[in-house]
Amino acid sequence: MTDTVARDTTPVPTPPPRRSYARLAADESREDYSLRYAPHAFRRWSPSTVAGTALGGIAYLADFAIGASIVFTYGFTSGLASILTAAVIIFLTGIPIARACATYGLDMDLITRGAGFGYFGSTLTSLIYASFTFIFFALEGSIMAQAMHQAVGLPVEIGYLVTTLIVIPIVFRGMGALAKVQAWTQPVWIVGMVLPFVVLAFEAPDAWGAFGSFGGTEGAGSGFSWIGFGLGTGVALSLIAQIGEQADYLRFMPAKTEANKRRWNLAVLAAGPGWVVIGAAKQLGGAFLAFVALEAVGKTHALEPIAPQIEALRPWLGSLALPAAALFVIVSQIKINVTNAYSGSLSWSNFFSRVTHRHPGRVWYIFLNLVIALTLMEMNMFAALGKLLGFYSNVGIAWIAAVAADLVINKRAGWSPPYIEFKRAYLYAVNPAGFGAMTIASTVSILAFFGLFGTYAEAFSTFIAAGLALVLCPLIAWATKGRYYLARPNPVWGPERAAGGTGGGTDADAPDVTATHVCAVCETAYELPDIADCPVWSGPICSLCCSLDAECGDVCRKDPEAAGPVLMPVPTVPKAPPGA
């Protein structure tokens, strides 16, 4: 079943007792391989099902509020340019990330580890991603609470709590439950999204023309302003980290084959970067609805998606406009907040597993994420929407741009391994290529955001972040000759076998990625891409047991020649891992 490879006799630490995981952490039907490679045996959904589930998560109405805020502040012309420019940037950076996640069966955190950040370097991006999920959970929860207050008079403070608690049973059950919720609620969402615009097309046909000359509510004017364009783009770019939530679904995409490659490519494009096409349309649509409702409800309520929705539906539905609008808002916010809570649990799991060497299970981190989000809601973060998102986008875009630069430039130039290595056993703690690029880019852009370099630099701080990250990541990788990507060669996934990838490529010499191998620590079988060779255990170790080991002293990374390779499994008869 296995071949033993000669190894050095250098003393290594005595193996600790074998590990057994808590019940929730061991149950992959709920855990969803939260810190691991998603095995082929678990990827039982079709490309269209995965894509539909991923796109169901972008039903959120924060786009309405964001678009309305941009146009109200900077006017229609500058606002339109901002929204479209941000959409192009998000789409282009999202393409390589979506394809990598779907091909290699890895979430955004694991992709980041191997795409220039290193094992501990990506802990910072885990926090960035976690903050994205709870910031937007709070934003979406605030919108839902506003709808419940309008519909039944529920105090918004109580509404915040209800919106938080309602998602827990769904998120607790993992991908299977999320897929069902997104599918069942999609018809209601589509009708609710389209109907207001149909009504206005008949009842206010001249509104679009008037909207095109709208100068905002802050005196910006209807003409184009470079300052307004830069600041507005910064707010819209706060959504760039949404690709991480799309990736949390895309990792369950089945392997691409000759038979399904057209559907696979279309599904990955639509569910990955394609989300922003719908997102940009929703921002413009939300701004339009707010503009139409502005005179009737005032600026403050026009920025809350529920009020414009009611005003748009009133000509046709009359007294039913309020319950219909409330139902649409509540369904939309449940669809996105189950995704926010789910992705937040993944990012917190990744962060704490590396920092504490413990993993009680993904589901426990749901509660941490929700407590932070609830606190933000109670602090009325909705009132500071524009400033908060503008600041966040400087960090988010530096991270995403650095990862995209690695996938598109560094790998093609040969400075980065041609596959994604995510396991602790093979990675340096910090890779200066991605981590250094993101740190420098976000630091400079944040200083610019706070006005240190003048008015124009403040307005275009996010462009500074993106530009620096895109240039510095390849530059640092070239200067270091890519030496900080791999602490030691992977005996299975070396460059000569990269064509096989963890996505099940076609290289005849590549190992069978679906073959399962028993971890020497937890004695559970996992597919080959999740396995590393461990000198402490003198055998294979799964990626999670490797992450949680606090006593090995990183022998394999500190002295690769003395450490191994040791015992590496060769392909065996494929078996399904537990919980598949």
Side-chain angles (χ1 to χ4, degrees):
M1 299 292 287
T2 59
D3 287 345
T4 303
V5 182
R7 62 186 177 94
D8 195 283
T9 58
T10 303
V12 296
T14 302
R18 297 187 186 277
R19 176 178 289 109
S20 60
Y21 291 101
R23 183 172 61 88
L24 288 177
D27 182 1
E28 294 297 351
S29 65
R30 288 184 171 85
E31 190 68 3
D32 280 350
Y33 297 88
S34 61
L35 302 180
R36 301 179 182 276
Y37 156 83
H40 287 277
F42 191 74
R43 300 186 223 171
R44 54 183 177 270
W45 298 277
S46 67
S48 59
T49 298
V50 175
T53 303
L55 288 175
I58 66 165
Y60 54 85
L61 298 184
D63 272 335
F64 279 30
I66 291 170
S69 176
I70 291 172
V71 172
F72 276 26
T73 305
Y74 307 112
F76 173 81
T77 304
S78 298
L80 174 65
S82 297
I83 291 169
L84 295 181
T85 300
V88 170
I89 294 172
I90 292 172
F91 188 88
L92 293 177
T93 55
I95 292 173
I97 293 172
R99 292 185 63 85
C101 292
T103 299
Y104 293 100
L106 304 175
D107 66 17
M108 191 66 200
D109 181 82
L110 301 186
I111 289 288
T112 300
R113 288 187 198 177
F117 281 73
Y119 182 71
F120 274 109
S122 62
T123 55
L124 178 58
T125 63
S126 292
L127 286 178
I128 295 170
Y129 185 30
S131 65
F132 173 85
T133 64
F134 62 65
I135 286 173
F136 277 89
F137 187 103
L139 177 57
E140 307 295 350
S142 297
I143 293 171
M144 190 193 299
Q146 292 161 3
M148 290 189 291
H149 176 70
Q150 286 263 32
V152 298
L154 185 70
V156 289
E157 293 79 11
I158 303 299
Y160 296 152
L161 181 61
V162 173
T163 63
T164 301
L165 296 178
I166 199 171
V167 304
I168 293 176
I170 302 169
V171 182
F172 193 87
R173 296 182 63 83
M175 174 66 177
L178 267 64
K180 291 177 182 177
V181 167
Q182 300 296 3
W184 293 343
T185 55
Q186 201 70 349
V188 175
W189 181 80
I190 292 174
V191 172
M193 177 62 66
V194 173
L195 185 57
F197 299 98
V198 174
V199 174
L200 290 176
F202 285 94
E203 300 297 329
D206 298 329
W208 277 109
F211 182 52
S213 59
F214 180 52
T217 59
E218 310 298 322
S222 59
F224 180 80
S225 163
W226 283 107
I227 296 294
F229 166 69
L231 291 171
T233 304
V235 175
L237 280 173
S238 64
L239 292 164
I240 196 166
Q242 177 64 33
I243 189 63
E245 295 197 345
Q246 304 307 111
D248 288 338
Y249 293 115
L250 286 172
R251 66 196 176 106
F252 298 121
M253 193 69 70
K256 182 167 68 172
T257 64
E258 283 298 317
N260 74 358
K261 67 179 182 180
R262 180 173 298 179
R263 289 181 290 114
W264 191 95
N265 286 328
L266 181 61
V268 171
L269 186 67
W275 77 266
V276 79
V277 177
I278 301 173
K282 285 164 57 189
Q283 289 176 44
L284 292 172
F288 174 65
L289 293 180
F291 164 74
V292 173
L294 179 61
E295 185 176 344
V297 302
K299 176 188 172 182
T300 299
H301 290 300
L303 292 173
E304 300 172 356
I306 179 66
Q309 195 84 6
I310 294 170
E311 292 301 313
L313 295 175
R314 199 184 300 280
W316 282 14
L317 300 186
S319 61
L320 295 178
L322 172 57
L327 175 63
F328 168 68
V329 172
I330 291 171
V331 168
S332 298
Q333 302 317 89
I334 289 176
K335 285 169 72 68
I336 179 55
N337 266 354
V338 294
T339 299
N340 282 328
Y342 179 75
S343 294
S345 69
L346 297 181
S347 57
W348 284 121
S349 295
N350 276 295
F351 174 78
F352 282 108
S353 68
R354 277 167 289 175
V355 173
T356 67
H357 295 285
R358 295 179 182 276
H359 181 57
R362 173 190 66 83
V363 297
W364 293 108
Y365 294 112
I366 297 171
F367 300 101
L368 172 62
N369 212 52
L370 295 184
V371 166
I372 298 173
L374 178 60
T375 302
L376 289 177
M377 282 188 277
E378 298 291 354
M379 293 170 60
N380 192 26
M381 65 151 283
F382 192 84
L385 175 65
K387 200 68 175 177
L388 177 64
L389 298 184
F391 170 79
Y392 177 83
S393 64
N394 288 278
V395 182
I397 196 171
W399 163 38
I400 297 299
V403 172
D406 181 88
L407 295 174
V408 174
I409 301 173
N410 296 1
K411 291 194 180 304
R412 294 187 180 184
W415 304 322
S416 172
Y419 71 105
I420 303 293
E421 182 57 76
F422 68 96
K423 296 180 286 294
R424 172 191 179 188
Y426 302 109
L427 295 174
Y428 279 99
V430 176
N431 185 342
F435 182 80
M438 185 201 74
T439 302
I440 296 170
S442 59
T443 300
V444 173
S445 66
I446 288 172
L447 293 175
F449 176 78
F450 284 109
L452 189 64
F453 306 128
T455 303
Y456 277 91
E458 177 182 351
F460 286 87
S461 63
T462 50
F463 289 85
I464 295 172
L468 283 176
L470 286 171
V471 171
L472 288 175
C473 184
L475 184 62
I476 296 172
W478 168 79
T480 59
K481 303 186 185 304
R483 61 173 295 188
Y484 294 103
Y485 280 89
L486 294 178
R488 62 176 176 130
N490 186 326
V492 173
W493 303 110
E496 70 279 2
R497 285 172 166 172
T502 57
T506 57
D507 185 353
D509 296 327
D512 179 7
V513 296
T514 65
T516 61
H517 311 277
V518 176
C519 172
V521 183
C522 65
E523 298 183 321
T524 304
Y526 291 100
E527 290 183 7
L528 183 57
D530 203 51
I531 294 292
D533 56 327
C534 177
V536 175
W537 286 93
S538 297
I541 185 172
C542 71
S543 62
L544 183 54
C545 286
C546 182
S547 290
L548 300 181
D549 196 325
E551 302 176 13
C552 67
D554 290 327
V555 168
C556 61
R557 295 192 300 176
K558 292 179 178 177
D559 192 0
E561 293 184 2
V566 285
L567 186 67
M568 195 66 215
V570 296
T572 60
V573 178
K575 306 174 192 174

